[in-house]
Amino acid sequence: MTSRGTVFKETMLGRVRLGDEQRDRPVRVDLVARADAVLLPHRTTRARLTGRLRIAGRADDAEAVGELEISPLARHRIRYRITFALEGRRLLLDGWKSVSPARPLTSMTVLPFTLHEEGERVGEGTLRFPLATGLLPFLASFRFPRPAAPVAPAPKWDGTPGRTEVWYTTLTDPVTGTGVWLHHELVAPTDGSGAYAHGWAAVFPKDGPVAYERFGPEPWTGEPQGFRTEDVRAQPGRLAGSAGAFTWDLTETPEGPPLHTFPRWSWRRPLLPASHMLPAARCRYSGTLRHGTRQLRLEEAPGASARIYGHGNARRWAWLHADLGDGDVLEIIAAVSQRPGLNRLPPLVFLRLLHHGRTWPRRAERTAVGWAGGGRFRAALGLPEWRVAGRVGRRRIRVTVTQPPERTLALTYTDPDGSTAVCRNSETADAVVSLERWWGRWRQEAEWRLTGTAHAEAGDR
């Protein structure tokens, strides 16, 4: 039997006094805890923490991280250690709830803590779990997921003619705002001639023109650990290569679970025209990329790698990868198929939102085919702007993507049957995402505005 983990959310409110002040400030933490085992009170369970920590007027860090030790019976404590940013400084919040059967309510809801900077104490305070407003959301947030099955890095291509397979990576340098696109592709022509490998590297500077170089084509020789040519490789944990004036060597650190944009079964059984997925919803990249006389040094740059396997490109399509912060990720593909019959349909939308550790909608098919023939998501494809909107249950979402022409690169793809398509890609696109929930009327649950950090593409024939 596959072991399960535990995921839950917790909010605490309180006050803190910083060492350089004479008054208390309100503080709030919104946390998501993820453990690799089922939480049981008689044993010690360790969990990873992510979330947002706010100190009124001084700090608002949406990427706070830490660890949680849950040991109410074995050690009589629940300890929190959270690292966060305050005005350019890195502080550690360290505290624990001292569990006592004599004071069960207080001991489980009150968290005294101290703040430290490089080992020095710089503040202290108290957080409290708000029972009246927080208990029901806390209990409802508990999930016990099975570990996600890892995606094998090896190519899926089994020698069948008329197939294409893609490994691609997109990322944004948080220092310079530069976007990066690395594309690696295997093409097996429909006529049965030899499969070949090719691709390109592209950079999208915030203050200059887009630059790119292609590599290949060259005969595909097979690679058990991913994609490889004489000068380029894309393998687990590492991306390296050279193409014209470009050279790059990057390490990749996965964060988050796999994210299947198309139905999960379509990756195992290639019955659809194509399937798309991310082995990890979010990754961090470090290393160096050089192009011409410019050098880009990356340190923990956010992005993601993805896999595509199918028969070729769609008739028309649009794609978005948006890192929304705080571990949230939005992935969209809207496409019109080349297959007879399907090519007469409006764009089918596959949308997956990873929000607070949960993927919405629960089933990837829901946005494309609706429910009982209705409720499909809608897409208006075009440039420089395209849109997607739809509703599932009590939530609805609206997404507007803008690809400014000066930040968009047009490249030609050749399908296995020899036909061509043109993609227009921007790794510095803009996006507005509005998520609403029905509570007697539509109320905004979250809104994200990305300026120059969205990764987007629109293509046609």
Side-chain angles (χ1 to χ4, degrees):
M1 180 181 294
T2 303
S3 62
R4 290 179 178 266
T6 304
V7 177
F8 64 89
K9 293 185 288 187
E10 182 179 18
T11 294
M12 290 181 287
L13 310 173
R15 303 190 72 82
V16 62
R17 177 168 295 187
L18 300 170
D20 58 357
E21 295 185 334
Q22 299 300 315
R23 64 186 180 92
D24 293 347
R25 289 180 180 267
V27 59
R28 172 179 177 139
V29 293
D30 298 279
L31 300 172
V32 178
R34 296 179 175 87
D36 294 329
V38 173
L39 195 160
L40 297 173
H42 67 276
R43 68 185 184 193
T44 298
T45 303
R46 300 187 185 278
R48 301 174 297 280
L49 292 175
T50 58
R52 184 177 183 181
L53 189 150
R54 285 171 278 187
I55 299 175
R58 295 294 299 270
D60 187 353
D61 187 354
E63 296 191 354
V65 296
E67 57 188 22
L68 176 63
E69 178 194 278
I70 308 169
S71 188
L73 298 181
R75 298 185 179 181
H76 303 288
R77 71 180 188 184
I78 303 174
R79 186 175 186 179
Y80 297 75
R81 290 172 60 85
I82 306 168
T83 302
F84 67 99
L86 182 146
E87 298 172 346
R89 301 153 58 191
R90 298 299 295 176
L91 301 188
L92 171 67
L93 183 154
D94 187 7
W96 58 85
K97 301 172 182 175
S98 299
V99 181
S100 168
R103 300 177 295 108
L105 190 61
T106 300
S107 65
M108 291 289 287
T109 59
V110 178
L111 174 67
F113 66 87
T114 55
L115 299 180
H116 300 270
E117 182 179 20
E118 297 181 350
E120 297 293 328
R121 184 168 176 162
V122 295
E124 61 182 19
T126 302
L127 287 165
R128 289 178 171 82
F129 177 79
L131 280 171
T133 59
L135 182 59
L136 287 179
F138 172 72
L139 296 175
S141 72
F142 271 80
R143 299 290 183 272
F144 303 95
R146 290 188 177 91
V151 176
K156 288 181 64 64
W157 183 57
D158 59 3
T160 304
R163 298 292 188 273
T164 184
E165 185 165 0
V166 177
W167 298 251
Y168 73 81
T169 298
T170 60
L171 60 95
T172 300
D173 177 23
V175 176
T176 65
T178 300
V180 176
W181 180 24
L182 301 175
H183 182 98
H184 317 81
E185 185 169 354
L186 157 66
V187 179
T190 306
D191 61 12
S193 57
Y196 61 89
H198 74 112
W200 50 82
V203 294
F204 297 72
K206 191 174 183 179
D207 56 355
V210 179
Y212 77 99
E213 290 278 5
R214 290 183 181 264
F215 57 86
E218 60 183 82
W220 175 257
T221 57
E223 169 56 45
Q225 291 299 313
F227 178 96
R228 185 164 191 156
T229 67
E230 184 176 350
D231 298 317
V232 177
R233 58 178 167 169
Q235 297 171 330
R238 183 149 183 226
L239 302 160
S242 63
F246 278 66
T247 61
W248 63 94
D249 193 344
L250 308 177
T251 60
E252 179 183 72
T253 304
E255 295 181 350
L259 187 65
H260 287 263
T261 320
F262 285 47
R264 188 182 299 266
W265 55 262
S266 70
W267 187 255
R268 299 191 304 267
R269 299 187 296 275
L271 303 177
L272 298 180
S275 186
H276 177 279
M277 63 86 60
L278 285 67
R282 196 167 183 259
C283 294
R284 296 282 184 176
Y285 298 87
S286 298
T288 303
L289 185 149
R290 297 180 178 86
H291 56 106
T293 60
R294 294 193 174 191
Q295 177 173 280
L296 183 65
R297 292 186 178 275
L298 300 170
E299 187 68 35
E300 298 291 306
S305 288
R307 299 279 303 275
I308 303 172
Y309 185 63
H311 296 259
N313 294 282
R315 186 181 185 87
R316 291 192 299 141
W317 74 90
W319 160 80
L320 172 71
H321 174 80
D323 189 318
L324 306 174
D326 196 22
D328 295 347
V329 172
L330 175 64
E331 195 81 16
I332 298 175
I333 291 181
V336 178
S337 173
Q338 278 281 84
R339 289 188 177 178
L342 294 178
N343 58 8
R344 297 180 179 273
L345 296 176
L348 299 180
V349 177
F350 294 92
L351 181 148
R352 308 291 276 157
L353 173 64
L354 181 62
H355 182 42
H356 292 328
R358 300 177 63 185
T359 303
W360 176 85
R362 291 183 62 185
R363 297 190 65 87
E365 301 93 330
R366 179 64 178 81
T367 60
V369 300
W371 180 258
R376 292 189 301 107
F377 278 38
R378 307 294 181 182
L381 305 185
L383 284 176
E385 183 178 283
W386 55 271
R387 299 171 180 266
V388 165
R391 171 184 174 180
V392 173
R394 294 198 300 167
R395 279 192 175 96
R396 71 180 182 185
I397 192 169
R398 291 192 296 269
V399 183
T400 301
V401 179
T402 304
Q403 298 182 217
E406 68 277 9
R407 291 189 259 143
T408 298
L409 172 65
L411 288 175
T412 301
Y413 289 83
T414 301
D415 283 340
D417 63 3
S419 63
T420 59
V422 178
C423 78
R424 297 167 180 86
N425 181 287
S426 176
E427 299 305 319
T428 51
D430 306 329
V432 178
V433 181
S434 176
L435 182 67
E436 296 177 311
R437 187 160 186 165
W438 178 260
W439 291 105
R441 62 182 178 87
W442 287 109
R443 299 182 182 180
Q444 190 168 84
E445 181 177 348
E447 183 181 61
W448 298 273
R449 292 180 176 271
L450 283 67
T451 303
T453 60
H455 306 163
E457 181 176 294
D460 56 26
R461 294 178 181 270

